[in-house]
Amino acid sequence: MPPAEVPSADQLETFANPAEGRDYAIEIVCPEFTSLCPLTGQPDFGMITFTYTPAAKCVELKSLKLYLQRYRNQGAFYESVVNRLLDDFLKACQPLRCRVVGAFTPRGGITTSVTCDYEAQGVARQRGRPETGA
């Protein structure tokens, strides 16, 4: 497969957070995600949901859509896909918090949902306060 068709964090574009310093959540729902089963080559379908608290940058939605479309010809297990989605999102946006959920349609009568979470170090502390102590 040509390199341009392989998903990469570099394909995700960002823009400046218009409310940096305020904690707020952005939820992006992508109901038409497709990839390939690495064993059978059959298509897998699912809904991917990104929920994140931006720091300095927000993800640009068209670039996210195009990035996700690159998975259509990628053979990968659900667990690998969702973990990679989180890793690439973190690399591109560097959010304070992020959760990626992959809710996949039934295959063989079994429905699978994979959830990956991230929280930046120190985010649990109140933002805007200088840290104290040694």
Side-chain angles (χ1 to χ4, degrees), residues 88-99:
D88 286 352
F89 200 89
L90 295 177
K91 184 176 178 186
C93 296
Q94 302 165 348
L96 299 174
R97 290 176 205 88
C98 187
R99 168 176 278 190

Side-chain angles (χ1 to χ4, degrees), residues 4-92:
E5 293 182 26
V6 176
S8 167
D10 298 334
Q11 296 156 345
L12 293 170
E13 297 176 17
T14 61
F15 61 92
N17 178 357
E20 188 173 355
R22 173 177 288 162
D23 281 354
Y24 65 100
I26 298 172
E27 182 175 87
I28 304 167
V29 179
C30 312
E32 299 176 345
F33 180 82
T34 58
S35 61
L36 297 176
C37 173
L39 298 178
T40 66
Q42 295 296 309
D44 286 326
F45 302 95
M47 179 166 46
I48 303 295
T49 303
F50 296 86
T51 306
Y52 74 104
T53 302
K57 298 184 277 187
C58 298
V59 72
E60 192 277 321
L61 296 179
K62 183 177 179 183
S63 71
L64 178 62
K65 177 185 81 168
L66 295 173
Y67 162 81
L68 290 173
Q69 287 176 349
R70 290 181 171 91
Y71 279 89
R72 286 186 179 164
N73 296 317
Q74 298 293 308
F77 291 107
Y78 301 147
E79 298 82 359
S80 296
V81 167
V82 177
N83 276 282
R84 181 171 176 190
L85 291 172
L86 178 62
D87 290 343
D88 286 352
F89 200 89
L90 295 177
K91 184 176 178 186

